[in-house]
Amino acid sequence: DCYFIDEKYYVKEDYLYCQDSYRYAKWELEMSGFEQGNMEVHLNCNLLGKHLASELIINHLIWLKLNEKGYPIIHGSCVSKDGQAYLFAGQGAAGKSTIALNLLERGFKLLGDHFVILNNGYVMSFPLALHIMGFNIVPSIKDNMSLKHKVFFYLNELLYNLTGRGTATKINMKDIFPSLLENKAKLHSIFLLLPKEKFKAERIGREDLISHLVMNQRLESLPSFTKYMTEYSYLFPQSNMATYWEHYEENLRRALSSEIEIYKLEVPRRYDAKTLNEIVQIVGAL
């Protein structure tokens, strides 16, 4: 009783099934309940697909449900001090994790280094795991990694070279720095990171920030899952799936009060001590 679309997708209301792949990763996906009620997902993957499943599919389904409940996900890192949260948002390799991990060594606590949740003026962690790759690891993290973590770190670096997908080593902070974790903090300021040639900082408005955050999250949505959303939305244009981005933008406006301070930071593609010190000085002045 399903519609068969593009000779690949079986779709009916609140239901989607397909067989799909991404390079060497392959999977079979069946999901229902993503429009209302409890979502149920059946996922059958090959070995590489199991390793990439959270990045390719599961995270996107979690974002979908959180957005439905009014909790927008932000692609960014976030640290806190004295109950105040400082959020750094931007595209991949913009320096979000590098900034957060360096601020940990300066007395801050970590809410997240890859994604965080916004709601009602607060930032919440999602999840409590470091997203470690070769370009953002700092000495204090590497020194405290167990042998198991180091093995996974080097295996993931090899996998990245094979697939081109950033499958970072996930390390629970409780295993390394249990005293540096924070679950929730009041949002004080947001720094939008834009890769440029030279460092520059300036204040921007809330609507400008929201436009960047929406586009940033769109870029973070992988082509495979975006295709699922598009195929389903074609048949059901008024569904939650079809209006996901409109609701996401509305949720951002509700979550971002007019009291927070917003900065655009133009940062060089390769960070040095001078750039990090300038960012630390701005955060410290706030």
Side-chain angles (χ1 to χ4, degrees), residues 4 23 43 212:
F4 189 41
R23 298 195 178 182
L43 188 60
H212 277 90

Side-chain angles (χ1 to χ4, degrees), residues 60-97:
H60 295 273
L61 294 173
I62 295 173
W63 300 348
L64 187 72
K65 275 298 183 182
L66 284 173
N67 191 56
E68 175 190 314
K69 297 176 183 297
Y71 294 80
I73 284 284
I74 297 293
H75 184 206
S77 66
C78 190
V79 296
S80 68
K81 196 169 189 179
D82 301 324
Q84 300 292 312
Y86 303 86
L87 173 59
F88 300 87
Q91 295 182 29
K96 302 180 297 297
S97 296

Side-chain angles (χ1 to χ4, degrees), residues 207-219:
E207 289 304 311
D208 193 4
L209 171 69
I210 289 173
S211 296
H212 277 90
L213 292 179
V214 172
M215 185 57 64
N216 189 32
Q217 197 64 21
R218 278 181 175 269
L219 290 171

Side-chain angles (χ1 to χ4, degrees), residues 127-265:
L128 287 178
L130 283 173
H131 195 86
I132 297 296
M133 296 184 71
F135 61 81
N136 64 24
I137 191 169
V138 295
S140 60
I141 300 296
K142 195 169 185 178
D143 292 343
N144 286 278
M145 289 170 64
S146 67
L147 178 60
K148 177 182 176 181
H149 288 142
K150 290 179 180 178
V151 169
F152 276 111
F153 173 74
Y154 290 115
L155 284 176
N156 282 338
E157 287 294 290
L158 176 62
L159 186 62
Y160 175 76
N161 293 330
L162 292 174
T163 66
R165 186 66 197 154
T167 56
T169 302
K170 304 294 196 302
I171 303 178
N172 194 325
M173 276 293 290
K174 293 179 181 179
D175 296 336
I176 301 180
F177 298 124
S179 63
L180 296 182
L181 300 179
E182 194 80 279
N183 291 323
K184 182 178 180 180
K186 187 173 180 60
L187 180 59
H188 181 281
S189 51
I190 296 182
F191 302 86
L192 178 66
L193 304 177
L194 296 178
K196 298 286 185 177
E197 296 301 321
K198 297 181 180 179
F199 180 81
K200 179 182 178 181
E202 63 177 329
R203 296 284 296 268
I204 61 173
R206 191 171 73 133
E207 289 304 311
D208 193 4
L209 171 69
I210 289 173
S211 296
H212 277 90
L213 292 179
V214 172
M215 185 57 64
N216 189 32
Q217 197 64 21
R218 278 181 175 269
L219 290 171
E220 191 62 20
S221 298
L222 295 178
S224 56
F225 199 82
T226 300
K227 182 68 172 175
Y228 303 157
M229 295 178 70
T230 304
E231 295 287 357
Y232 183 83
S233 301
Y234 177 74
L235 290 181
F236 303 101
Q238 303 304 318
S239 63
N240 289 335
M241 185 84 82
T243 57
Y244 175 86
W245 292 111
E246 289 86 347
H247 289 155
Y248 180 74
E249 188 169 334
E250 292 172 5
N251 287 333
L252 284 178
R253 285 196 176 88
R254 283 193 287 266
L256 299 172
S257 71
S258 58
E259 300 175 358
I260 64 171
E261 300 194 38
I262 305 170
Y263 289 84
K264 179 176 71 175
L265 300 183

